[in-house]
Amino acid sequence: MCSACCKSCKAPPGCSLCPPMCCSPGISYCIFDLESAVFDTRHVYKRAVIELAASYNKVIPEAVMIQSGPMETAEMAEMICRKCDLPVSWESFRFQLNERTSDLIANPTLMPGVERLVTHLGRCCMGLGLITSCSESMYCTKIRDREDFFQSFSSIICADDADLKAPKPEPDVYLIAMKRLGDAGPDCTLVFDGTPKGVQAATDARLPVVMLAEKDLPCCWSELATLRLETLEEFDPTEFNMPPYSCTEPPTKKQKAPSRRSSQKSAGSQRSSAALKKAAADSEADEGEEEESEGQEVA
């Protein structure tokens, strides 16, 4: 792509049309995790677990919720059923949990800041890849009515991809995504993921990773991340030698500063106003003294 930061990177024919900084060494490719970096579904499982436990008149301790964070659904269901003594088998709990989460993520919201970032990277000729833990059919359902936005991604790896042999935390999904992006390499590719297993997978693929973590996620689960943020609104592309937003966005209009002349006029007006007030006060004081003296003479 434009930023020929690794030996195999090649500048495309239309590179002359890109912003100047686009052709400097830095990140040329970005890979996003759909569920935790594009869609903001980080709270979905927590909400679904709490609601499902409440239907059995049970409250899940916060420590158990934190412990279940990086677990697969089956492992999480087994632990919660055991520690909270739920009157249901963990297999049944997992089935109910999957149904509830499917309802909650049927129309997920975008991660704050992701639309701006993806649009910016696309305009800078960056190669964009997308990975997801759902099947291709479910992916098509999730992106309904947002197809134009997802056209920005040139490579999409779904959970039922024929080349994918092992899920996260194995690095396979990121290695496949890099391969399909063409010239992507570890030294010019950046990952955005919000799960501990995703960070582990990206790290094992020797890729730098920005972790979009929940505020209460223990710091020990983000130790491998290159950078930890809560949302993409906090992300600054220049930290990774990527073109700044100013390259692709119109400059913000600055408020016109008052001229020196008008400032002087305003100051003069204030002085005149103060003088008038003082004169009026002196006049009232003089009138009061005259009235008092007249009263004394009459007496």
Side-chain angles (χ1 to χ4, degrees):
M1 299 303 291
C2 294
S3 304
C5 58
C6 51
K7 295 180 180 179
S8 60
C9 290
K10 301 174 183 178
C15 187
S16 59
L17 302 177
C18 305
M21 189 177 176
C22 179
C23 297
S24 63
I27 298 298
S28 302
Y29 303 88
C30 291
I31 303 173
F32 292 77
D33 177 69
L34 178 68
E35 285 75 23
S36 62
V38 177
F39 287 139
D40 194 359
T41 60
R42 297 171 297 177
H43 305 285
V44 168
Y45 270 94
K46 182 177 181 179
R47 176 183 167 186
V49 167
I50 291 173
E51 291 179 354
L52 191 55
S55 67
Y56 293 105
N57 297 319
K58 296 287 185 179
V59 177
I60 301 177
E62 187 63 26
V64 175
M65 288 300 306
I66 293 176
Q67 187 179 352
S68 67
M71 294 181 177
E72 295 290 342
T73 307
E75 186 181 4
M76 176 174 60
E78 189 278 329
M79 185 193 69
I80 290 175
C81 286
R82 174 169 43 84
K83 292 200 171 187
C84 299
D85 196 25
L86 295 182
V88 63
S89 68
W90 71 266
E91 293 90 350
S92 178
F93 186 82
R94 179 184 63 175
F95 177 78
Q96 296 174 47
L97 183 60
N98 285 335
E99 282 194 331
R100 192 173 290 264
T101 53
S102 295
D103 293 338
L104 291 175
I105 64 176
N107 187 26
T109 58
L110 290 175
M111 168 74 69
V114 70
E115 195 165 8
R116 180 192 185 198
L117 178 60
V118 168
T119 301
H120 169 68
L121 297 179
R123 289 174 179 171
C124 292
C125 300
M126 296 276 182
L128 302 180
L130 185 69
I131 66 168
T132 174
S133 59
C134 64
S135 64
E136 184 176 357
S137 59
M138 179 60 72
Y139 166 75
C140 293
T141 301
K142 283 185 177 182
I143 70 167
R144 190 172 295 159
D145 299 328
R146 294 192 180 106
E147 288 84 357
D148 290 344
F149 170 75
F150 283 94
Q151 285 181 358
S152 302
F153 298 95
S154 59
S155 174
I156 300 168
I157 314 297
C158 295
D160 55 357
D161 190 283
D163 292 334
L164 184 60
K165 305 303 181 185
K168 301 174 187 177
E170 298 301 320
D172 300 34
V173 66
Y174 284 118
L175 295 173
I176 295 171
M178 271 198 299
K179 183 179 179 180
R180 293 188 185 174
L181 282 171
D183 297 325
D187 48 355
C188 59
T189 304
L190 180 64
V191 167
F192 295 89
D193 201 304
T195 63
K197 288 191 176 183
V199 172
Q200 179 69 59
T203 302
D204 287 348
R206 297 185 296 114
L207 294 171
V209 54
V210 175
M211 184 177 190
L212 302 164
E214 293 182 274
K215 188 175 182 179
D216 57 354
L217 186 76
C219 294
C220 60
W221 288 353
S222 59
E223 288 178 345
L224 295 176
T226 310
L227 178 66
R228 172 174 171 157
L229 303 173
E230 284 190 42
T231 73
L232 285 172
E233 287 180 321
E234 305 170 34
F235 180 71
D236 180 5
T238 60
E239 289 188 25
F240 292 88
N241 201 23
M242 299 160 71
Y245 283 120
S246 59
C247 283
T248 59
E249 296 179 352
T252 55
K253 292 184 179 180
K254 296 182 179 179
Q255 291 184 347
K256 188 176 180 181
S259 65
R260 185 178 178 183
R261 188 172 184 180
S262 62
S263 299
Q264 291 174 345
K265 183 178 179 181
S266 176
S269 299
Q270 290 177 357
R271 288 194 296 269
S272 299
S273 177
L276 289 173
K277 287 181 179 179
K278 186 176 184 301
D282 292 342
S283 176
E284 290 178 0
D286 292 340
E287 289 178 1
E289 290 176 359
E290 290 176 2
E291 289 177 359
E292 184 178 353
S293 63
E294 288 176 1
Q296 289 176 351
E297 290 175 0
V298 171

